[in-house]
Amino acid sequence: MQTNSLRNKIILIGFMGTGKSAVADGLASVLELHKHDVDVAIVKHAGQPISDIFAQSGEETFRNIETEVLQELLYSPEASIIATGGGAVLKQVNRDTMLEHGLVIHLIASADVIISRVKHDTGRPLLQGDVTERVHQLMSARAGAYDFAHYSIDTSNLSLPEVVSQIVELWHQANLK
Ligand code: S3P
């Protein structure tokens, strides 16, 4: 992988409920880097919860804020861990900028694992209604959308520390800083 001073981030992508935020916390603590959660930054930027942004302004507005916030984090000079939202991969500009600025890791979990994690959650507007049906629909609509990552890790049979240590190993191998 080519060394470039700007490629100093670990960027986690993956479907909702694949553990991006928890893994980002683990990485931040082991590597002693700041962690940024794009969803949290969007809520701060918009001054309202994600479900309200979707309800009042629509998904397109949410996606535009998501791109703005993500680009700002990616162009920041500090080395960091960035947990993205599950739909951040849908725009080409986001995919290109993620690849330019760091090591992109795709976290995978089975539909059953995802459903068990998100079924009681009310903060994800795209999963309202029949959660099982929505997860299956969205997973098939997004098939292949995460394949641009440098690496994919199936977390289904791994503990959180195992996922974190695999990524730490990949980060050291990539030697991007
Ligand atoms: C979304 C995923 C969510 C959040 C928003 C839309 C998506 O983030 O950005 O509800 O389109 O997959 P998480 O993946 O952190 O749940």
Side-chain angles (χ1 to χ4, degrees):
M1 210 173 279
Q2 205 189 337
T3 303
N4 175 322
S5 60
L6 282 176
R7 303 193 63 215
N8 58 1
K9 295 167 179 63
I10 299 179
I11 303 142
L12 301 176
I13 64 166
F15 199 82
M16 290 173 268
T18 50
K20 300 176 296 274
S21 279
V23 172
D25 282 333
L27 286 169
S29 123
V30 171
L31 295 171
E32 298 184 337
L33 293 174
H34 282 127
K35 170 221 171 173
H36 299 285
D37 192 311
V38 175
D39 283 347
V40 171
I42 292 171
V43 170
K44 203 169 154 196
H45 177 104
Q48 56 184 165
I50 289 176
S51 48
D52 288 0
I53 306 173
F54 270 75
Q56 289 169 25
S57 313
E59 181 168 351
E60 197 184 332
T61 299
F62 172 81
R63 295 294 170 208
N64 291 337
I65 302 171
E66 181 175 52
T67 296
E68 199 180 319
V69 164
L70 177 63
Q71 301 282 317
E72 200 173 307
L73 291 173
L74 289 170
Y75 277 95
S76 146
E78 68 157 4
S80 64
I81 314 295
I82 301 179
T84 63
V89 299
L90 299 175
K91 286 195 187 186
Q92 179 79 47
V93 63
N94 292 350
R95 297 195 294 272
D96 290 346
T97 322
M98 287 191 240
L99 288 171
E100 250 170 59
H101 290 267
L103 186 66
V104 182
I105 307 282
H106 172 204
L107 299 183
I108 300 172
S110 68
D112 287 348
V113 167
I114 289 172
I115 290 161
S116 73
R117 286 183 186 158
V118 301
K119 66 182 173 206
H120 298 303
D121 181 65
T122 52
R124 290 181 169 101
L126 294 179
L127 297 182
Q128 297 316 298
D130 183 332
V131 173
T132 302
E133 195 181 301
R134 288 297 293 143
V135 167
H136 284 292
Q137 275 172 354
L138 272 173
M139 280 183 98
S140 68
R142 291 187 183 169
Y146 303 96
D147 291 355
F148 73 98
H150 294 111
Y151 296 100
S152 294
I153 298 179
D154 189 341
T155 66
S156 305
N157 297 311
L158 297 176
S159 66
L160 179 60
E162 285 170 335
V163 177
V164 170
S165 74
Q166 283 198 14
I167 298 172
V168 168
E169 182 63 30
L170 293 169
W171 174 241
H172 289 317
Q173 277 171 23
N175 195 24
L176 294 180
K177 279 199 285 179

